[in-house]
Amino acid sequence: MNCRDIVPHDHLQKSRPMIEAIIFDLDDTLYSEITYIRSAFATVAEFLADRGMGSSHQILSLLEHIHWEIDRDRVFQHAARRLNFDPAWIPELVRMVRSHVPKIEIPPETCDVLVQLCRHFRLAIVTDGHREVQRRKIAALGLDSMMDVIVCTDDLGRPFWKPDPLPFLTACRTLKTNPSRAVFVGDHPRRDIWGAARLGMKTVRIVRHDGYFRHHPDLPEASPHARITHLSELIDCLRSGPKSSHHAKKEYLLENAA
């Protein structure tokens, strides 16, 4: 973790300009997206198993393998060839994924972090994806009640998905804060980090061990202010006070901002 150049709120560091809001991406930021993928594919696997395509366990393993190792965007096309089912089923499988009620839970770590942050900052989510899908994820994770603002970019229109500035500005305006007083936390180097940084927001990139974009390098023109692997590390970035020798060689995320 390398923290630099952002300013805290409240008792965290009263003498400096304030950060007023923390804005989060959703997938692979507040939870591991792989849990949603497994939930969706499990629904599809049951459907295909009922139609004689094999055991649901084997089908689920195949779908996950295709998604993570072969082609994330054409999973069902590859599966149709492997399992020899009619490609005409694919639109129904897509509808099934988008309409299913996801069996996902908020990680305890995320819950703990949000509970701590909400005492000092306004909180928001800015998330890409089909609005119905993202809203079901948010509901399943119980995030509705933990956020002051939720922006699903699909509500603004596909041209305004991240990294377009509109969703970031929409969140800041609704939170009644200037982008320069907000921190954005996300996993994608372009959509999240570059998109937020060009508006003057401070940025934190989370690189989970199972995150889909974990191997994507930071953009030279938009290096994040901090890089973390667990959401709980965000608290360390936002905390101020005397530095121990352990922290002597790194700058704190919320210090020394203009």
Side-chain angles (χ1 to χ4, degrees):
M1 176 175 64
N2 179 23
C3 300
R4 60 180 172 85
D5 213 25
I6 302 186
V7 196
H9 185 282
D10 199 70
H11 72 282
L12 296 176
Q13 197 168 345
K14 293 180 181 178
S15 63
R16 299 183 183 274
M18 290 193 302
I19 285 294
E20 300 172 333
I22 314 295
I23 305 175
F24 297 90
D25 171 51
L26 177 62
D27 298 305
D28 273 341
T29 296
L30 292 176
Y31 80 110
S32 292
E33 189 179 13
I34 191 172
T35 61
Y36 174 79
I37 298 300
R38 285 173 176 157
S39 172
F41 284 169
T43 300
V44 171
E46 291 290 344
F47 173 87
L48 293 174
D50 288 344
R51 280 150 184 79
M53 296 296 107
S55 75
S56 59
H57 175 74
Q58 290 173 326
I59 296 169
L60 177 58
S61 295
L62 174 64
L63 296 176
E64 289 188 1
H65 171 71
I66 295 170
H67 178 85
W68 295 109
E69 305 296 336
I70 299 176
D71 187 347
R72 186 186 193 194
D73 298 320
R74 295 176 57 82
V75 172
F76 298 146
Q77 287 84 349
H78 286 276
R81 290 194 290 272
R82 297 279 192 96
L83 298 174
N84 196 31
F85 65 77
D86 189 343
W89 294 2
I90 292 175
E92 183 175 0
L93 301 183
V94 172
R95 285 193 295 272
M96 196 175 300
V97 166
R98 292 179 180 171
S99 64
H100 94 287
V101 178
K103 295 178 180 178
I104 56 177
E105 296 180 351
I106 188 170
E109 178 187 43
T110 296
C111 190
D112 290 344
V113 168
L114 295 180
V115 166
Q116 292 184 64
L117 292 180
C118 74
R119 297 169 184 156
H120 310 290
F121 305 96
R122 298 193 285 279
L123 305 182
I125 289 172
V126 174
T127 179
D128 285 342
H130 294 276
R131 63 173 68 85
E132 297 86 358
V133 173
Q134 299 307 97
R135 291 288 179 183
R136 288 191 188 94
K137 291 176 185 176
I138 290 166
L141 294 168
L143 289 169
D144 310 68
S145 62
M146 305 184 79
M147 294 291 153
D148 297 294
V149 172
I150 295 173
V151 177
C152 289
T153 60
D154 207 33
D155 290 330
L156 305 173
R158 183 60 191 262
F160 302 108
W161 285 23
K162 296 178 291 184
D164 189 89
L166 182 58
F168 301 101
L169 288 172
T170 298
C172 288
R173 287 168 180 164
T174 309
L175 290 169
K176 295 181 170 57
T177 192
N178 188 285
S180 66
R181 294 194 170 199
V183 176
F184 193 88
V185 185
D187 68 301
H188 196 286
R190 177 174 173 79
R191 298 172 196 163
D192 294 326
I193 304 306
W194 179 74
R198 63 183 178 148
L199 293 176
M201 299 174 72
K202 309 302 181 183
T203 57
V204 178
R205 184 177 178 194
I206 183 168
V207 186
R208 293 179 175 275
H209 75 280
D210 56 359
Y212 188 79
F213 301 109
R214 65 189 183 278
H215 298 307
H216 290 217
D218 295 333
L219 299 182
E221 66 272 29
S223 178
H225 291 86
R227 227 168 173 266
I228 60 178
T229 56
H230 296 85
L231 200 64
S232 57
E233 295 174 62
L234 181 62
I235 300 298
D236 228 15
C237 288
L238 299 171
R239 183 176 289 126
S240 66
K243 297 185 179 107
S244 67
S245 60
H246 174 71
H247 291 127
K249 293 184 179 180
K250 65 185 179 184
E251 298 173 277
Y252 273 75
L253 178 66
L254 298 182
E255 293 186 356
N256 305 318

